[in-house]
Amino acid sequence: MSDYDIVRALRHIGSPKRANEKWYVINQKWFDHAKRAYMDALDQGISVSTLSLHEEKTTSSAESKSQVTLDPIDNTDLFHDATSCQLPTSDGAVVTWHALKPSLVENVDYELLPSKIFKELVRRHGIVDETHCLERYSVETPSLSIYSGPDIKIDIYPIPCILYKCNSKNGECIDDEGVS
């Protein structure tokens, strides 16, 4: 994906077209900073591919005009501090799950990015850690109008759920069969 493609994608994100499309929730502050950095870099003829989480930020104005840096993607501002839990995965590993703050507003607190764009930004700039990768799927909801088809939306507040297989003879749950 070229720098121009990223700028064009960041300017015109769009919306999900069908159910079960993968999207990612990203902190609006980071998104706005990245969008501005990419557009400024292209306007100044700076190669955006030089942006890296390993480069040090420069303080002199002469150096900052020739180099643009972005920190790794950080969604900390979106997490509800009091709510996190450990969830088992199907392969037996355990991952930390953070609940999002209640009442987040799209285009104010967060932006939704299609999978392809998000993965390219992660490849170029990194991400604080895997818990900041907030994967969500588009869902089909009934339309309020009889004249239009179903609405496609992205549910940013999925309910974490662990299912266990229980022994029908004694009613005990079998831990190693848990699926999240």
Side-chain angles (χ1 to χ4, degrees):
M1 183 177 269
S2 73
D3 298 342
Y4 177 76
D5 291 336
I6 290 177
V7 170
R8 191 176 62 203
L10 293 176
R11 284 185 180 162
H12 308 287
I13 296 294
S15 59
K17 306 292 186 239
R18 59 188 177 278
N20 296 322
E21 287 181 346
K22 193 184 298 186
W23 288 68
Y24 290 85
V25 179
I26 190 167
N27 184 330
Q28 188 70 43
K29 289 179 198 172
W30 192 93
F31 175 82
D32 289 342
H33 181 68
K35 184 176 176 180
R36 199 169 30 257
Y38 270 90
M39 290 191 310
D40 290 349
L42 275 182
D43 290 345
Q44 297 171 15
I46 299 171
S47 174
V48 185
S49 61
T50 62
L51 298 176
S52 168
L53 68 135
H54 303 293
E55 294 176 5
E56 292 186 25
K57 292 182 180 177
T58 58
T59 53
S60 84
S61 60
E63 289 176 351
S64 65
K65 288 181 181 177
S66 65
Q67 180 178 344
V68 180
T69 60
L70 283 174
D71 292 329
I73 296 170
D74 185 353
N75 286 325
T76 304
D77 293 345
L78 304 178
F79 297 145
H80 188 268
D81 294 333
T83 311
S84 68
C85 62
Q86 301 291 319
L87 295 176
T89 61
S90 58
D91 63 356
V94 176
V95 295
T96 301
W97 178 84
H98 295 286
L100 296 180
K101 290 179 181 175
S103 306
L104 292 175
V105 177
E106 187 175 359
N107 301 321
V108 174
D109 300 308
Y110 69 91
E111 188 72 43
L112 293 166
L113 296 180
S115 181
K116 183 177 179 181
I117 298 167
F118 179 80
K119 287 180 180 185
E120 180 64 18
L121 291 173
V122 169
R123 187 185 71 75
R124 288 178 177 223
H125 310 294
I127 191 162
V128 172
D129 65 48
E130 67 183 34
T131 63
H132 289 252
C133 187
L134 305 173
E135 182 179 288
R136 300 296 188 263
Y137 288 88
S138 56
V139 294
E140 189 175 295
T141 60
S143 175
L144 298 176
S145 169
I146 61 171
Y147 300 108
S148 64
D151 292 329
I152 305 296
K153 298 181 180 180
I154 298 172
D155 181 10
I156 69 160
Y157 295 105
I159 299 170
C161 181
I162 300 174
L163 302 175
Y164 290 96
K165 186 175 184 179
C166 292
N167 185 332
S168 60
K169 294 177 183 172
N170 62 14
E172 292 182 10
C173 293
I174 304 167
D175 288 359
D176 58 4
E177 298 280 331
V179 179
S180 59

